[in-house]
Amino acid sequence: MISLRLLPFLLCLATAVLAQSPATTITVSGRVQDAQSKAPLPFLTVQLLLAKDSTFVTGRLTDNAGAFAFTGLKKGVYLLDAKILGYKPLRQRVLIGELSPFLDLGVLSMEAVAAALGQVVVTANASEIASTMDRKTFRVADNVSQAGGSVVQVMSTLPGVTVGEDGKIQLRGSDKVAVLIDGKQTALTGAGSQRGLENLPASAIQSIEIINNPGAKYDANASAGIINLILKKEDQTGLTGKVGLMTGAGALWEKRENLPTIRPQFRYTPKFNPSFSVNYRKNATNSFLQGDWLYAPTLNKNEFSTRTYNDGSVITQQIKRNRRTDYATVNAGVDHAFNARNSMSVSGLFNREKILDDGDNPYFDGNLTNRYRLWQFLEDEVKYTAFSSAVFTHRYAQPGHSLQFTSNYSFHREDEQYFFTNTLPNFIGQDAFKLLSDEHIVDLNADYTKPLKQGRIEAGFKGRYRSIPVNMQFFPGERSPLDPGAGGQATYRETIPALYANYVFESQHVELEGGLRVESVQVDYKVNPDHNTYTSDGYRYMEPFPNVRAAYKFNDDHKLSLFLNRRVDRPNEVDIRIFPKYDEPELIKVGNPALQPQFTTSMDLGYKTNWSRGSFYAAAFHRTIDATITRIATQAPGSVLLYNVFQNAGRSWNTGSEVVWQQTVSKRVSLNANATVYRNTFGAFTVVNQYPVPVAYSAERQRLVSGNVKLNAAIRLPHNWDTRVSSVYLAPDLLPQGRIESRYSLDLGARKAVQHGRGEIAINATDLLNTMQLRRTINGETFRLVSTDYLETQVIRVGYSWKY
């Protein structure tokens, strides 16, 4: 209701057009042969005509094999006309749609002559909503209001995307999202979930795809959908490239002053983001190199909380975390075509992330008259990621008929050290722990595609092996809350073979797509045998994951689509990691090795319409989730410590709708608005947190209507300044033990091309009004926690880039 009342105001405040996806290219192929001898007919005249009035579009002669190709066509209905002296002319209706990039008309026969139908390439302008309505595509360069920031900041303005607790990305109210890079899972962003996006610079990304309804070709993990980050890559002949620099500052003033007796918050934090790209193409070889560095000190967390216990005791606390981050990424590769049929692409990515956190956690009574604990820490963390990929593609004689082999290797090292000073009223203790984790992932894929007369078939195999040995060492001091018996070693191993098949059919009015993916998953989690709580565990399953899409095209501008699919969310290694995380020593996060996968059945009904200067898209969706994965907080008996443990919390439901509207008002103004409204429902459940001792928790059925409204405006000002204003409103949302309150932000950006288009000046401000605050309430069996995080969200940047 709040979002609906604010909608008119926000529409007047700011709206913008989202980026356009690249034009779709479609190839139609086939062969024409003699009806009796089956011999090909070379040098046959083949023409393509518009079906509605027989207007000539294009024509050419067949080659020695009776094949030919057309290029530059739009979608529509055509007539194929084949003629040669002495033979009866052939005329056939050809439907060129949007679902398949290649179509094969098969073998066409003429009386006494063999002829081959060639190739047709269709180019059409597409909006950010794909014609199949299963995905949305956005160019990062068009989002000038977030230039110089992280990928998370860019995605926060996209339809259906919100940033939830702990910086997790949510799609349509769920954080079960897989993040890919160039269509591949890597340890950089999480090999089955999301990770590492908070500092990944947007300058490294060309475009972002949001895939709400992935097909059978994609891994079945991530029920909410997939976000695919497409790295920058040039394809022009010769030497080309780009260099850029964005600088800025954040934390320009205090949103709320510290509690007494702790170190100051970060103020005037500098931001520094240089980037470069080099591309060289000559003949059949293309080489590229990109680099980005993000130096961004930030007030990463500044949360004020009040815990009220059933016995009447009250604790007031603050968690302040000053963070220094260095994030460097290098991406390089070579694409080479051996000949017209065979090509190879080899690429590699290296990333280093250095984090230094200085934190203060004071704990007071409710009146702030007595400080009973001050917990100060230094986190020294280094993360390394290396990813390599090799792709070999064989193209058969028929255009679009291909077999592709892909091998990927990903390595991720997490090296953390925490040093704590535990100050009590009459004692000071020193505590520490060290964690070392190495992740190895090997993927082998084979993908086969064959175009048909009105669609295509796809099939393939994927094999994955993943290993993550972890070593955690605790060094507790005197009177420490650290648990020395919780340390040790654990090894996570995951093996996944999978097969998939997919069929696509398209006629003038009907589109059908059906696929099936079968996965066999084995996860083993080996725990140090002398661990004080947990033992070795894991899970196994072999499950089918079907997907179906049916669409009806009323005409070229109106389409209705229905999606049905079944997906899974497998617990990631950090979800089952047995070692407690003490960055907040009285609200401790722990994994659960007994955690099981959650399975989701989804339905999505979408409608899309286009007009000459705009479009409208609407979708209604429903998800039923079994064995819902979430964190549950319980109080340790005889202590004020809270333990936040992952659990399977029964069944839940997510139902809602999404709309995206865009309009080009004039040559200078483009508008866009998108809104998502959904209801999250958690069924009644009872779970037992085993760590450090068994504690049961029960919850009644909960439900809440939530959503978001995002409005943007792209305006061209005099002197060729392009501006973008983005506003985001997030309604209150439901947690299994409470809720998150509403949030709002306003972003502003401008850019201007200089030096005859080779240079560009950009300036922007995120959260211009400094209103984005995270407020939440958690209700446990014996406590209630109310908190507000006044972290740094307002950043002002200015930058310059130059193309060569």
Side-chain angles (χ1 to χ4, degrees):
M1 291 299 295
I2 295 175
S3 63
L4 292 176
R5 289 198 298 268
L6 283 178
L7 182 57
F9 166 74
L10 293 174
L11 279 169
C12 294
L13 182 63
T15 43
V17 142
L18 298 175
Q20 300 293 310
S21 62
T24 302
T25 300
I26 299 173
T27 300
V28 178
S29 64
R31 293 187 301 111
V32 182
Q33 67 180 24
D34 183 275
Q36 295 180 353
S37 67
K38 310 302 181 184
L41 181 64
F43 312 116
L44 172 71
T45 300
V46 182
Q47 297 180 345
L48 208 62
L49 314 174
L50 288 177
K52 61 181 180 180
D53 55 10
S54 296
T55 301
F56 175 81
V57 177
T58 186
R60 62 179 57 195
L61 299 177
T62 59
D63 60 16
N64 289 331
F68 64 94
F70 294 116
T71 60
L73 302 175
K74 296 181 179 180
K75 67 176 182 178
V77 181
Y78 297 84
L79 295 176
L80 177 72
D81 193 85
K83 298 178 180 179
I84 192 171
L85 185 64
Y87 295 89
K88 183 179 179 180
L90 171 69
R91 175 166 287 196
Q92 178 170 316
R93 183 174 176 274
V94 178
L95 170 67
I96 299 178
E98 302 173 299
L99 297 186
S100 300
F102 296 93
L103 298 175
D104 177 23
L105 299 182
V107 177
L108 304 178
S109 297
M110 295 179 65
E111 292 184 7
V113 174
L117 181 64
Q119 173 181 347
V120 178
V121 177
V122 179
T123 303
N125 292 327
S127 68
E128 75 282 353
I129 309 296
S131 59
T132 52
M133 292 193 285
D134 64 338
R135 70 188 63 203
K136 313 174 189 74
T137 304
F138 309 93
R139 274 175 26 96
V140 172
D142 292 337
N143 200 339
V144 65
S145 58
Q146 278 79 31
S150 70
V151 171
V152 170
Q153 292 171 329
V154 174
M155 289 192 292
S156 66
T157 64
L158 303 184
V161 180
T162 56
V163 182
E165 275 196 295
D166 301 323
K168 277 196 169 185
I169 297 299
Q170 297 180 342
L171 280 177
R172 295 176 172 179
S174 172
D175 63 3
K176 305 307 179 187
V177 181
V179 179
L180 312 181
I181 293 182
D182 288 337
K184 306 178 185 70
Q185 292 180 332
T186 75
L188 178 64
T189 56
S193 60
Q194 50 172 292
R195 182 178 65 199
L197 298 177
E198 189 178 44
N199 296 315
L200 182 62
S203 57
I205 308 301
Q206 176 71 30
S207 59
I208 300 173
E209 289 184 330
I210 299 175
I211 308 173
N212 293 115
N213 298 283
K217 189 173 183 178
Y218 291 95
D219 190 282
N221 199 50
S223 60
I226 292 170
I227 294 177
N228 185 26
L229 307 177
I230 301 173
L231 298 176
K232 289 182 176 178
K233 188 175 180 180
E234 298 288 342
D235 59 1
Q236 300 181 42
T237 301
L239 180 66
T240 58
K242 184 177 181 179
V243 293
L245 173 64
M246 290 291 291
T247 62
L252 302 180
W253 57 70
E254 287 185 347
K255 292 184 179 181
R256 180 174 172 177
E257 65 180 15
N258 286 335
L259 294 182
T261 71
I262 70 170
R263 295 171 293 184
Q265 304 173 18
F266 264 177
R267 291 287 306 277
Y268 308 110
T269 53
K271 316 295 179 187
F272 190 67
N273 177 212
S275 62
F276 74 91
S277 64
V278 180
N279 197 92
Y280 181 71
R281 176 180 290 275
K282 183 177 181 180
N283 300 325
T285 302
N286 181 63
S287 305
F288 61 91
L289 174 68
Q290 291 108 29
D292 293 85
W293 179 46
L294 181 64
Y295 173 73
T298 181
L299 182 59
N300 178 260
K301 194 175 186 67
N302 193 27
E303 185 178 70
F304 294 78
S305 306
T306 300
R307 279 181 275 154
T308 304
Y309 294 88
N310 290 355
D311 62 5
S313 59
V314 176
I315 297 176
T316 300
Q317 67 183 74
Q318 179 186 359
I319 308 170
K320 184 216 69 186
R321 188 160 62 211
N322 292 331
R323 171 167 290 183
R324 296 175 178 87
T325 301
D326 288 286
Y327 195 96
T329 303
V330 176
N331 181 41
V334 176
D335 305 324
H336 178 73
F338 300 104
N339 49 49
R341 300 283 182 85
N342 300 289
S343 63
M344 173 75 80
S345 295
V346 178
S347 62
L349 181 148
F350 177 78
N351 168 264
R352 178 185 182 272
E353 181 179 10
K354 172 71 172 179
I355 296 175
L356 285 174
D357 280 343
D358 286 299
D360 294 78
N361 298 2
Y363 300 91
F364 290 85
D365 61 13
N367 298 321
L368 297 180
T369 58
N370 178 33
R371 191 191 76 186
Y372 75 90
R373 183 201 297 273
L374 173 61
W375 184 272
Q376 295 178 306
F377 66 87
L378 169 65
E379 176 191 4
D380 186 349
E381 181 178 7
V382 182
K383 298 179 181 179
Y384 298 95
T385 301
F387 176 75
S388 62
S389 178
V391 182
F392 175 79
T393 303
H394 173 72
R395 299 172 182 84
Y396 297 89
Q398 174 194 356
H401 187 190
S402 66
L403 178 62
Q404 187 175 86
F405 296 95
T406 304
S407 63
N408 301 320
Y409 172 72
S410 189
F411 169 78
H412 180 77
R413 165 164 288 183
E414 184 179 355
D415 189 348
E416 296 183 48
Q417 299 180 80
Y418 274 76
F419 304 93
F420 299 101
T421 300
N422 183 24
T423 303
L424 301 173
N426 57 0
F427 178 81
I428 298 178
Q430 301 293 325
D431 306 88
F433 70 77
K434 178 177 175 58
L435 181 143
L436 183 64
S437 169
D438 285 345
E439 181 174 10
H440 304 268
I441 306 173
V442 177
D443 287 331
L444 297 175
N445 294 34
D447 299 285
Y448 175 78
T449 303
K450 180 174 175 56
L452 305 174
K453 183 177 181 180
Q454 291 181 275
R456 69 184 184 276
I457 57 172
E458 299 170 321
F461 164 82
K462 176 179 179 178
R464 160 167 290 186
Y465 176 75
R466 186 179 179 207
S467 173
I468 311 176
V470 180
N471 186 9
M472 171 71 86
Q473 301 177 59
F474 287 99
F475 307 97
E478 188 178 350
R479 305 186 196 179
S480 171
L482 296 183
D483 181 359
Q489 297 180 343
T491 301
Y492 175 99
R493 288 191 177 91
E494 176 184 85
T495 305
I496 307 178
L499 294 169
Y500 77 88
N502 197 53
Y503 171 72
V504 177
F505 169 81
E506 181 177 15
S507 68
Q508 185 172 357
H509 293 289
V510 176
E511 297 174 356
L512 295 174
E513 181 174 353
L516 178 67
R517 187 180 188 91
V518 178
E519 290 186 345
S520 176
V521 175
Q522 177 175 328
V523 171
D524 294 306
Y525 192 58
K526 300 300 181 183
V527 177
N528 193 32
D530 58 356
H531 191 274
N532 59 10
T533 301
Y534 291 123
T535 58
S536 297
D537 219 321
Y539 58 86
R540 292 164 176 76
Y541 69 78
M542 183 172 180
E543 294 280 347
F545 298 97
N547 70 276
V548 176
R549 187 181 80 88
Y552 184 79
K553 297 180 286 185
F554 300 94
N555 52 45
D556 288 344
D557 296 323
H558 299 271
K559 181 186 288 188
L560 185 70
S561 284
L562 175 67
F563 298 86
L564 298 170
N565 65 46
R566 181 175 186 260
R567 296 183 66 78
V568 65
D569 292 287
R570 299 186 292 269
N572 206 5
E573 185 271 335
V574 295
D575 300 338
I576 67 176
R577 184 177 288 180
I578 61 175
F579 309 115
K581 188 173 176 61
Y582 283 91
D583 54 349
E584 210 283 74
E586 296 196 4
L587 181 58
I588 300 168
K589 297 176 182 177
V590 190
N592 178 6
L595 201 63
Q596 298 294 302
Q598 71 173 33
F599 293 89
T600 301
T601 302
S602 302
M603 179 180 69
D604 190 310
L605 181 65
Y607 170 75
K608 180 186 177 186
T609 182
N610 302 303
W611 52 90
S612 60
R613 305 183 72 179
S615 66
F616 176 80
Y617 164 79
F621 56 89
H622 175 76
R623 302 188 191 110
T624 300
I625 304 106
D626 290 305
T628 305
I629 296 175
T630 188
R631 283 193 185 272
I632 299 297
T634 56
Q635 182 181 2
S639 170
V640 298
L641 300 185
L642 304 179
Y643 289 88
N644 217 356
V645 183
F646 275 111
Q647 293 284 359
N648 292 110
R651 176 169 285 189
S652 62
W653 299 265
N654 173 245
T655 305
S657 61
E658 178 182 84
V659 296
V660 179
W661 166 80
Q662 63 183 67
Q663 180 69 45
T664 301
V665 178
S666 67
K667 292 182 178 179
R668 292 187 175 273
V669 179
S670 299
L671 306 177
N672 170 275
N674 62 82
T676 305
V677 178
Y678 53 86
R679 183 178 69 181
N680 278 336
T681 303
F682 292 92
F685 65 90
T686 298
V687 297
V688 177
N689 280 354
Q690 298 292 338
Y691 186 86
V693 295
V695 177
Y697 174 81
S698 297
E700 301 295 328
R701 184 182 180 95
Q702 304 175 73
R703 63 174 56 181
L704 180 70
V705 175
S706 183
N708 55 78
V709 179
K710 301 177 182 182
L711 311 169
N712 309 284
I715 305 171
R716 172 161 282 242
L717 299 176
H719 307 292
N720 294 324
W721 278 97
D722 291 322
T723 63
R724 179 184 173 96
V725 184
S726 301
S727 59
V728 176
Y729 170 77
L730 308 178
D733 206 353
L734 189 65
L735 299 172
Q737 288 181 279
R739 58 185 274 163
I740 297 177
E741 302 302 328
S742 62
R743 290 154 283 163
Y744 172 75
S745 70
L746 179 70
D747 302 335
L748 176 65
R751 65 183 175 190
K752 176 183 173 64
V754 295
Q755 297 171 304
H756 306 287
R758 287 187 173 271
E760 183 178 273
I761 300 172
I763 183 171
N764 62 51
T766 59
D767 194 16
L768 185 64
L769 305 180
N770 218 13
T771 54
M772 184 60 75
Q773 301 166 5
L774 184 62
R775 301 188 301 273
R776 62 173 179 155
T777 301
I778 300 294
N779 297 303
E781 294 277 10
T782 59
F783 69 92
R784 178 181 173 155
L785 184 149
V786 179
S787 67
T788 302
D789 196 346
Y790 299 91
L791 74 165
E792 175 188 315
T793 55
Q794 184 187 70
V795 179
I796 296 175
R797 297 181 178 89
V798 61
Y800 169 79
S801 62
W802 180 68
K803 297 179 181 178
Y804 61 89

